[in-house]
Amino acid sequence: FPWPGLLRAPVLVLGYVAPERYVARYAQADKARSGLGRGEDRWAVPYWWVDGGAAVMAMLLAAEAAGLGALFFGQFDHEPDVAARFDVPAGRRALGTVALGHPGPGPSASASARRGRPDPAARLHHGRWHDTDDRR
């Protein structure tokens, strides 16, 4: 593991979403016409993930602006154990974990980050969508 100090960061923020709260909100009279209050499966785009991701990004940007080190990492197969350890209510889903602190010595970028960014032309579309595959 190339970042042994990661889990010793002074702050670890566990990000969770509550899909049932979105469904319940859209079941209320002023939103019921959308049909989204009938269940999670009615959401073509589950906005609990969109809103949660935006909250995590805001936290990462705020940390950067404050001169802190910040890193987002997934819980993957550890999600049930982490939820049990912190008494996370049933039905919540983990976005992941944000480590906050001052960067320590060691590698600063993962192998995927060292590959560099794709050419912006492969991601920017002017006036129409271009069928390009930047995953190669």
Side-chain angles (χ1 to χ4, degrees):
F1 185 68
W3 302 278
L6 176 63
L7 298 177
R8 291 191 305 273
V11 176
L12 293 174
V13 179
L14 304 174
Y16 281 85
V17 295
E20 74 280 356
R21 289 190 178 183
Y22 281 75
V23 172
R25 171 66 182 103
Y26 278 79
Q28 293 177 7
D30 64 324
K31 302 273 188 188
R33 273 191 4 201
S34 70
L36 299 175
R38 294 188 204 137
E40 291 179 35
D41 61 329
R42 301 292 297 213
W43 292 71
V45 176
Y47 272 82
W48 44 92
W49 296 118
V50 175
D51 293 347
V56 167
M57 181 57 72
M59 186 183 319
L60 293 169
L61 291 170
E64 175 75 17
L68 295 173
L71 173 78
F72 175 80
F73 59 96
Q75 294 178 10
F76 303 108
D77 294 338
H78 302 287
E79 183 178 351
D81 294 333
V82 172
R85 167 64 178 84
F86 292 99
D87 298 320
V88 175
R92 303 302 196 273
R93 291 297 315 280
L95 291 159
T97 303
V98 176
L100 297 170
H102 295 283
S108 60
S110 67
S112 61
R114 288 191 299 268
R115 280 195 304 257
R117 299 195 182 272
D119 179 358
R123 294 186 176 208
L124 299 175
H125 307 282
H126 301 280
R128 65 185 179 96
W129 196 270
H130 301 278
D131 190 16
T132 59
D133 184 355
D134 62 24
R135 294 173 287 175
R136 287 181 226 154

